[in-house]
Amino acid sequence: MLAGMRLPGPADLAEFCQGVIRTCTNDLERRRAFYSRLTNNYLTGTDGLDSARHNVLQEVIKESSADLYADGMARFGVDVDQQYGDDLLDEEEAVGEDAQRWWHNSRSGKAMAKAVEWAHVWPAAVLKVFVEPGEGEVLVRMLPNTADLGLLSPNVPEWENQEGLVQSFSMDLSSFERRVRHRPYYRELMRTALATAQPPDGRDAMPAAFRSIILAQWTPNLIGMPSGGALGQTGVELTMADPQSREPEVRLKELWVWDDAMNDYRVVTMMAESALLVDDHGNPLVPKAHPFFPVILDPLPFSAWSVPVMVGILKMQMMHESFLEWITHVLGMQFDPPLVATGVAGMLEEKLDALRSPGGDFTNPLPQGKVENFAPAMPPDAFPMLSELKQMMGRRVGRPPAMTGGGDPSRSGDQVIHKALLSAGATLNRAMAVEGAVEAVATYGARLRHRINHVPLRNPADGSEFLLNQFPEEFVIKVDAHSISPIAQEQNREKIMFLIKEGAITKEDAIRLLGIPQMDRMARKARRLGRAQAALAKQRMAIEETKAAAKMESAKK
């Protein structure tokens, strides 16, 4: 799988791992600063500390994210090796339904939806799969700050071929004490932790977009809290969303490095400020695979990272903000226009102030006096330019006007839908990239559950039970019919209806493919109805055969 490296013995392991960590994190501060700036751009819509009048940037990205991934529509199937043929067809259905329930019940789909949104903003949004301590449940969560993850070979685009990955995170002292309580060098670890622990500064805050992810519920040894800054400096509008914690935290580095001697990854956790090892063990999750999965919309052939989609529309957002500022200035001049008075005697400033007040008037003894306002006219293209800028931003993220309801108003509804689908090529390409990430994460999570889950599954054909770990381990979770993307789902609708009409698929399959509300319950009803109809047809056939046999007996007599 990987060329890998042979790790040294215990005496030299800490020094070796420190060298690998330094290589993986050599540009950590630069990347943190870059991610902080991108995060601030997205949340405020400006390149400064104040929020934009209208954050079109966030609006367009959320619309694009909704086109690429709809969590409630995700449906899974299972692929196994061809050597099994159709022998496991019914079991495949049960495993696919189990994976689908796990995906939604564990909120893995919610984490993926958040990752798809932030994949527009960052060079990559990264998900991590882990087992919740105590509960033993497999969970998927997004790293709060991808800048905290360093790669040994950032020039290798395939993340599954990364030989070393380092996650920087922090942990409060009480959690750290529980983690190292039974270590033989407990006193030395706690002495170092107490000496180096410090409260998080402003850089360690999470943006408001991550408030829905409660870090305290994550297992600290696998996820932890973000060690690098996400927001950096924040304006007044984001201050309340910036968690202010003064509890001292211990900074840690978790290294996943390929070890040729083990033919698998080795997991080493070290204290960031010293060479002390906190943990050193083999891969506790899925063999020969690490648990980090990127969501990248526009992958590059020469890098593990990408150029964020948001970078291409950021300047358009700045132009939009500039136009709004100009329009606001002109409207202000129209509502409170400059006045020019000629031939007016007396104290001019007081008289003009009177004119600007409700019911204000004054007398003027000079017959030729007059007062004029010089309100500027609004340029005729001012407001259309705002709409054009938003359309330009939409086209840049793969959402041309045809996809947003623009175009010829004389066309029928079906024609508009077909035109929108024909113009959705860029969005569909990105949806396929998201689908690949969903399948990779779901397959890893399902295989991990395959190793630890002992809850029996039920065969939908005969009702017999089997354990997930009795199913072939090399299975792959696939997204059924590109169901995660609403656009792909719309493209499939006519095909599904044609297959139903031709009798090529069952009603149960049609319900699952269409993704209608209460899908699982209705699919079970359709399954029972199909069985009842099959039994009724069998009874009718038996009756017809009995009648035919009776007629033949009568004919012989």
Side-chain angles (χ1 to χ4, degrees):
M1 174 186 171
L2 296 172
M5 59 188 80
R6 187 172 294 274
L7 272 60
D12 302 319
L13 182 62
E15 183 179 352
F16 172 83
C17 290
Q18 264 198 323
V20 176
I21 289 173
R22 279 195 296 268
T23 303
C24 293
T25 58
N26 61 357
D27 63 341
L28 182 63
E29 294 306 319
R30 181 185 64 85
R31 292 181 61 238
R32 282 177 176 171
F34 181 54
Y35 274 70
S36 293
R37 179 179 176 184
L38 293 176
T39 303
N40 197 71
N41 291 153
Y42 179 59
L43 295 178
T44 64
T46 67
D47 209 12
L49 301 181
D50 296 325
S51 295
R53 293 172 176 83
H54 182 190
N55 192 347
V56 187
L57 198 68
Q58 199 170 105
E59 189 176 313
V60 169
I61 286 177
K62 286 185 179 295
E63 290 171 353
S64 174
S65 302
D67 288 339
L68 299 180
Y69 181 80
D71 178 42
M73 298 170 64
R75 299 182 303 281
F76 294 144
V78 176
D79 273 358
V80 295
D81 195 272
Q82 291 183 352
Q83 63 175 318
Y84 298 103
D86 294 336
D87 296 342
L88 300 175
L89 196 61
D90 296 323
E91 288 81 356
E92 289 176 23
E93 183 177 348
V95 173
E97 290 181 8
D98 178 70
Q100 183 173 309
R101 283 193 294 271
W102 161 74
W103 182 260
H104 295 297
N105 294 342
S106 66
R107 295 177 60 212
S108 301
K110 301 294 184 185
M112 176 60 71
K114 187 61 65 177
V116 171
E117 178 184 349
W118 285 87
H120 289 78
V121 182
W122 295 337
V126 179
L127 295 157
K128 189 175 185 180
V129 186
F130 62 98
V131 179
E132 187 178 25
E135 300 295 329
E137 181 61 46
V138 177
L139 300 178
V140 179
R141 295 294 182 263
M142 188 179 89
L143 297 189
N145 191 356
T146 307
D148 287 335
L149 184 68
L151 305 179
L152 183 62
S153 304
N155 60 320
V156 176
E158 298 81 13
W159 278 57
E160 64 272 17
N161 292 334
Q162 290 291 333
E163 297 179 359
L165 306 93
V166 175
Q167 182 191 357
S168 304
F169 65 98
S170 58
M171 187 184 300
D172 61 76
L173 280 170
S174 58
S175 298
F176 181 80
E177 192 277 334
R178 285 194 298 270
R179 177 170 177 173
V180 303
R181 184 175 298 166
H182 302 293
R183 299 289 190 275
Y185 39 94
Y186 166 79
R187 292 184 180 278
E188 185 179 0
L189 285 171
M190 287 306 302
R191 191 183 306 114
T192 305
L194 291 169
T196 59
Q198 51 185 291
D201 53 28
R203 296 186 317 129
D204 292 331
M206 290 186 302
F210 297 114
R211 294 296 292 168
S212 60
I213 303 177
I214 305 175
L215 291 177
Q217 294 180 354
W218 297 7
T219 166
N221 58 334
L222 286 180
I223 294 295
M225 290 180 285
S227 177
L231 278 179
Q233 287 185 303
T234 58
V236 175
E237 294 84 353
L238 297 181
T239 301
M240 296 306 295
D242 189 3
Q244 300 296 318
S245 173
R246 305 307 301 167
E247 183 179 2
E249 294 179 348
V250 183
R251 299 183 187 277
L252 302 170
K253 306 280 186 183
E254 181 181 279
L255 169 65
W256 286 71
V257 60
W258 184 264
D259 187 352
D260 281 345
M262 301 174 63
N263 195 29
D264 202 343
Y265 282 95
R266 190 166 179 170
V267 186
V268 179
T269 306
M270 302 185 67
M271 302 189 74
E273 282 79 12
S274 72
L276 279 177
L277 287 176
V278 178
D279 283 320
D280 171 27
H281 51 76
N283 184 355
L285 304 178
V286 177
K288 302 183 181 181
H290 62 74
F292 300 97
F293 296 89
V295 180
I296 298 176
L297 302 183
D298 294 329
L300 298 173
F302 52 83
S303 175
W305 309 107
S306 72
V307 178
V309 174
M310 188 187 73
V311 171
I313 59 176
L314 186 56
K315 288 189 179 296
M316 299 180 202
Q317 166 64 30
M318 304 308 173
M319 288 180 62
H320 190 279
E321 183 66 11
S322 297
F323 271 100
L324 270 181
E325 184 178 354
W326 296 334
I327 289 173
T328 302
H329 175 72
V330 173
L331 287 175
M333 297 283 283
Q334 289 180 340
F335 287 131
D336 189 10
L339 300 178
V340 176
T342 57
V344 177
M347 301 183 69
L348 184 59
E349 288 77 9
E350 293 182 1
K351 293 182 178 181
L352 293 180
D353 287 342
L355 286 181
R356 288 192 173 95
S357 303
D361 52 31
F362 67 89
T363 59
N364 183 31
L366 302 179
Q368 302 299 324
K370 62 178 181 178
V371 177
E372 296 178 294
N373 70 60
F374 283 85
M378 181 68 69
D381 294 332
F383 288 101
M385 189 60 192
L386 295 179
S387 300
E388 178 61 28
L389 279 171
K390 184 175 181 180
Q391 289 186 9
M392 289 170 62
M393 296 171 74
R395 285 192 291 268
R396 180 62 181 81
V397 300
R399 305 186 80 248
M403 285 184 61
T404 58
D408 187 357
S410 63
R411 292 183 178 272
S412 66
D414 289 340
Q415 289 175 324
V416 171
I417 292 175
H418 283 298
K419 185 178 179 182
L421 294 176
L422 289 173
S423 63
T427 297
L428 286 173
N429 286 339
R430 288 185 177 135
M432 293 303 101
V434 172
E435 182 174 306
V438 171
E439 291 176 347
V441 175
T443 297
Y444 187 95
R447 288 182 177 179
L448 183 54
R449 295 180 77 246
H450 180 279
R451 295 171 59 83
I452 65 175
N453 193 348
H454 302 289
V455 177
L457 303 180
R458 188 177 295 277
N459 188 317
D462 56 16
S464 60
E465 292 186 344
F466 67 98
L467 295 176
L468 184 58
N469 57 18
Q470 294 175 324
F471 196 72
E473 191 175 3
E474 61 270 19
F475 68 90
V476 175
I477 300 295
K478 306 293 287 186
V479 174
D480 267 347
H482 309 305
S483 56
I484 62 169
S485 172
I487 297 175
Q489 184 77 349
E490 188 63 38
Q491 282 188 328
N492 290 334
R493 195 172 299 276
E494 290 185 10
K495 301 175 186 177
I496 296 170
M497 300 308 296
F498 173 77
L499 293 174
I500 295 173
K501 183 179 179 182
E502 295 297 320
I505 58 176
T506 64
K507 292 180 180 179
E508 179 186 352
D509 291 334
I511 290 172
R512 295 193 182 280
L513 289 171
L514 289 171
I516 60 179
Q518 297 184 343
M519 176 179 60
D520 289 336
R521 185 171 64 85
M522 295 191 69
R524 289 194 296 269
K525 282 187 175 181
R527 183 185 301 161
R528 288 199 297 268
L529 180 60
R531 289 174 181 169
Q533 290 174 342
L536 181 60
K538 188 175 181 180
Q539 290 176 359
R540 287 176 177 173
M541 186 176 295
I543 292 172
E544 293 298 327
E545 288 176 353
T546 304
K547 288 181 179 180
K551 286 182 180 180
M552 290 179 64
E553 290 293 330
S554 299
K556 288 179 181 179
K557 294 178 181 179

